[in-house]
Amino acid sequence: MAERGGLGPEEQKELLDELAEVVTAAAPANWQLIALEYLSVGRHVEVRVGVRDSNGDQVSWEPPAAVDELFWRLRVGMYQEGLGTWYTSLFRISPPNTYEVLYNRDNEPPWNPPAEAFAKEQELFPRDDQHTPDWFRQRLAGA
């Protein structure tokens, strides 16, 4: 695992710029918008993909493997002692290379990972009690 925490705003932007390059290099023809939602707890990861072409039609597309690695490096690097790290990230990009990113550090993601993923999350990215959301505490108790 990469070093936890310590990824400042400039390093975060570098990783996001790299993510944008990887996505646009592999994007399907005539793409107009690509949305990637990266959901992670512990070592359980899901990536959801949405692509629209210039006609507004949904297009099937599989992101390159490097996408997972870049999101993971962001997640690990954005860890803050006692606060943890984000559970989900939404990355949207449109041509030529304009992107936005949103992070969810506190709200329960819309999914159902295995119970052991929550114990692993607390091991990898420990949170102080006051920074642990109630929903996470309940899922952790179930592990």
Side-chain angles (χ1 to χ4, degrees):
M1 181 167 84
E3 186 176 334
R4 262 192 328 210
L7 197 63
E10 287 182 23
E11 293 89 359
Q12 290 173 35
K13 183 173 179 342
E14 288 172 13
L15 283 175
L16 290 168
D17 288 346
E18 187 177 346
L19 179 61
E21 288 175 23
V22 165
V23 168
T24 56
N30 295 328
W31 70 280
Q32 197 60 36
L33 174 69
I34 295 176
L36 299 169
E37 186 177 24
Y38 185 90
L39 303 95
S40 181
V41 63
R43 289 287 190 182
H44 182 85
V45 172
E46 293 180 22
V47 179
R48 298 177 180 168
V49 179
V51 180
R52 296 232 179 251
D53 66 14
S54 57
N55 295 321
D57 295 326
Q58 194 134 349
V59 177
S60 179
W61 178 69
E62 186 73 29
V67 165
D68 180 55
E69 178 200 342
L70 289 164
F71 272 118
W72 181 256
R73 286 172 50 198
L74 271 168
R75 188 166 191 268
V76 170
M78 291 175 70
Y79 170 78
Q80 294 178 38
E81 183 140 354
L83 293 175
T85 191
W86 47 268
Y87 300 111
T88 63
S89 176
L90 177 61
F91 181 85
R92 288 189 287 240
I93 186 165
S94 54
N97 202 10
T98 305
Y99 65 81
E100 68 176 334
V101 64
L102 305 167
Y103 301 105
N104 167 25
R105 176 184 293 272
D106 297 312
N107 299 314
E108 185 171 13
W111 65 336
N112 195 22
E116 61 271 8
F118 293 89
K120 189 66 172 178
E121 176 75 12
Q122 190 63 12
E123 176 189 322
L124 293 172
F125 307 109
R127 289 177 176 236
D128 294 341
D129 193 53
Q130 70 267 27
H131 298 293
T132 303
D134 289 339
W135 67 266
F136 185 88
R137 197 180 338 270
Q138 291 167 358
R139 300 291 293 267
L140 189 59

